[in-house]
Amino acid sequence: MRRDERYYGRFGGRYVPEVLRPAFEELEAAWAAAREDGAYWELLERLGRDFIGRPTPLCPAERLSDELGIKLYLKLEGQAQTGAHKINNALGQAVLAKRMGKARVIAETGAGQHGLATAAAAAKLGLECEVFMGEVDMARQHPNVFGMRMFGAKVTPVREGSRTLTDAVNAAMKNWTERVSDTHYVLGSALGAHPYPAMVRELQSVIGREIKAQVMESEGRLPDRIYACVGGGSNSIGAFAPFLDERVELVGAEAGGRGSRPGEHASRMGGRGSVGIVQAYKSLFLQDGDGSLLATHSVSAGLDYAGIGPQLAHLGETGRVRFDSASDDEALAAVARTARAEGILPALESAHALALAYREAGTMKPGSVVVVNVSGRGDKDLFITAPIFDRADWISFLESEIAGMRAEDAI
Ligand SMILES: *Cc1c(COP(=O)(O)O)cnc(C)c1O
């Protein structure tokens, strides 16, 4: 039997309280058995096709390709059920919970996307579902709270600490210790204690496998470069994993926010994060000298997190994955440009990856084959983006973009 990695270089591991050790051992054994079981993957493939809508399209971005001088493809994870890649992981873990004989799943959520995906997967499989969400986030992301309730989930407000994602993770962990016998904890990204980083990567690798097959079909070769945005790291490691041993450049886009001072961004790589053990795993974190997590900022809720998955931290340290950041404004401009040119409204998170591709296209060999993983669709962001795009400076920016495109069409 293949064994999952517990460490990635000096990162990873499992630093859990004594009471949770049996739960992690049970989960590790159940996952090891499932990942070797063809029936598990067959069921996921069937649900992937019939329920999630896989494979998601790899869309040639023809107008942007002309503008940029490269061959750009967009992997449209936003077309998956509930609007982002998160359902790949949530459904895989919900099926695993059922195999383990658990009647109930719990999840933490920040922006609500992972809660929404878990609630939908639980509804599909007939599992009870409770989602822990900071009170501040519940107010900020009310449409997703409503969506989770529509799927039959109980949404429990967390009133501790800053009442945001970190506190929701703690509340979910605490609930798990109390209900281990009938409950599986569906963690939402490729981080946390072993085996979560490996399990989430495997469940999200469907993205990269599809990219590989789809680019091979249309280009007859592998892409030159793949971009993906990095919050906790699940859509990026899922897109990258099948290419780690290939000659394909892999680029992770972090949130540059509104500046480089502490609290203004969520850029953990590039020397700003330091080694720590937080929420049961060892990785790079944005933290102060005492090891307390720093506040982070990003216009995109999904990238607004102080930690990063251990495998990506390692891949960044060894140089296999290159990291760079895009600012709030660059991401917003990329949303507008992608929508205008391609008829695709990307999520603010995904727009960070698009922004890096647009910024770097001029330095690539003409005709380079480039894939951007568009992890989600932007409908969920309209409450945030609409007031910004209504501001006078953005209105004139958007108008100048239209004028620029008309001029090009006329040539
Ligand atoms: C949650 C989310 C992310 C960030 O999470 P990762 O685990 O880094 O993928 C990115 N894009 C979208 C659309 C999301 O909902």
Side-chain angles (χ1 to χ4, degrees):
M1 196 181 273
R2 268 183 308 163
R3 299 218 30 205
D4 282 319
E5 324 82 300
R6 182 179 282 252
Y7 284 95
Y8 308 89
R10 58 192 182 126
F11 303 122
R14 181 195 289 165
Y15 302 85
V16 296
E18 199 64 41
V19 282
L20 274 178
R21 201 167 291 171
F24 272 91
E25 275 159 15
E26 184 192 6
L27 174 61
E28 185 174 8
W31 167 246
R35 71 172 285 184
E36 299 301 319
D37 182 358
Y40 174 74
W41 295 106
E42 269 163 40
L43 176 56
L44 271 192
E45 200 177 312
R46 183 167 63 74
L47 287 166
R49 183 193 62 213
D50 299 342
F51 176 63
I52 298 181
R54 306 212 71 88
T56 57
L58 183 78
C59 181
E62 280 150 359
R63 286 171 21 100
L64 284 169
S65 293
D66 282 349
E67 285 176 29
L68 298 168
I70 57 175
K71 279 189 102 167
L72 179 65
Y73 288 89
L74 305 179
K75 178 63 170 165
L76 300 183
E77 284 300 295
Q79 293 201 13
Q81 172 73 336
T82 64
H85 67 288
K86 292 218 165 66
I87 191 74
N88 303 324
N89 170 48
L91 191 67
Q93 287 197 47
V95 171
L96 183 68
K98 249 192 139 151
R99 277 178 68 111
M100 293 170 76
K102 311 264 175 175
R104 177 174 177 265
V105 290
I106 57 172
E108 85 294 343
T109 200
Q113 290 301 112
H114 173 57
L116 193 69
T118 304
K124 178 70 183 162
L125 298 176
L127 295 165
E128 193 189 325
C129 179
E130 182 169 351
V131 179
F132 296 88
M133 190 169 188
E135 208 171 38
V136 170
D137 288 333
M138 279 181 75
R140 280 196 294 210
Q141 310 285 342
H142 200 260
N144 279 337
V145 175
F146 185 70
M148 287 183 259
R149 288 183 177 145
M150 290 300 292
F151 290 135
K154 179 179 173 197
V155 184
T156 300
V158 178
R159 301 197 171 90
E160 279 80 39
S162 60
R163 296 173 290 151
T164 57
L165 178 60
T166 302
D167 314 292
V169 174
N170 293 337
M173 291 272 258
K174 180 164 178 295
N175 183 273
W176 203 25
T177 62
E178 290 157 6
R179 300 273 307 255
V180 167
S181 59
D182 74 340
T183 298
H184 170 66
Y185 176 16
V186 181
L187 192 67
S189 192
L191 40 71
H194 176 72
Y196 282 105
M199 179 168 69
V200 177
R201 176 198 62 220
E202 289 304 300
L203 293 171
Q204 291 292 2
S205 291
V206 66
I207 303 172
R209 287 196 304 273
E210 286 178 8
I211 291 174
K212 209 174 208 178
Q214 289 165 321
V215 175
M216 281 306 287
E217 191 179 318
S218 49
E219 293 292 330
R221 66 175 180 95
L222 294 178
D224 296 300
R225 200 181 282 192
I226 304 174
Y227 289 90
C229 65
V230 186
S234 68
N235 87 87
S236 52
I237 198 68
F240 295 164
F243 296 94
L244 287 175
D245 296 329
E246 313 277 6
R247 291 170 62 93
V248 176
E249 213 185 322
L250 306 171
V251 187
E254 295 189 291
R258 58 167 89 95
S260 58
R261 285 196 301 264
E264 292 182 334
H265 63 86
S267 168
R268 299 129 309 176
M269 308 302 289
R272 287 179 188 155
S274 56
V275 181
I277 297 171
V278 182
Q279 288 180 334
Y281 68 107
K282 189 173 184 183
S283 191
L284 292 173
F285 296 88
L286 294 171
Q287 53 191 339
D288 64 19
D290 302 329
S292 302
L293 292 188
L294 292 171
T296 50
H297 162 80
S298 171
V299 69
S300 69
L303 304 189
D304 199 352
Y305 182 61
I308 182 170
Q311 188 173 9
L312 280 172
H314 177 61
L315 291 168
E317 218 169 54
T318 60
R320 178 64 190 92
V321 174
R322 174 165 64 84
F323 285 88
D324 205 337
S325 59
S327 69
D328 285 355
D329 281 352
E330 284 177 299
L332 286 159
V335 168
R337 184 173 189 181
T338 312
R340 218 25 76 80
E342 297 295 335
I344 290 164
L345 186 69
L348 278 169
E349 291 84 359
S350 325
H352 288 71
L354 290 160
L356 283 194
Y358 300 160
R359 189 204 293 165
E360 295 177 353
T363 64
M364 291 183 228
K365 223 170 83 203
S368 295
V369 175
V370 176
V371 177
V372 178
N373 190 37
V374 182
S375 52
R377 60 170 179 252
D379 312 44
K380 70 176 177 64
D381 300 321
L382 285 173
F383 289 94
I384 296 159
T385 49
I388 297 174
F389 286 138
D390 268 347
R391 271 175 11 207
D393 52 332
W394 278 101
I395 288 174
S396 53
F397 170 81
L398 296 175
E399 279 168 357
S400 69
E401 285 261 297
I402 299 175
M405 288 173 76
R406 290 219 182 97
E408 274 168 36
D409 287 345
I411 294 167

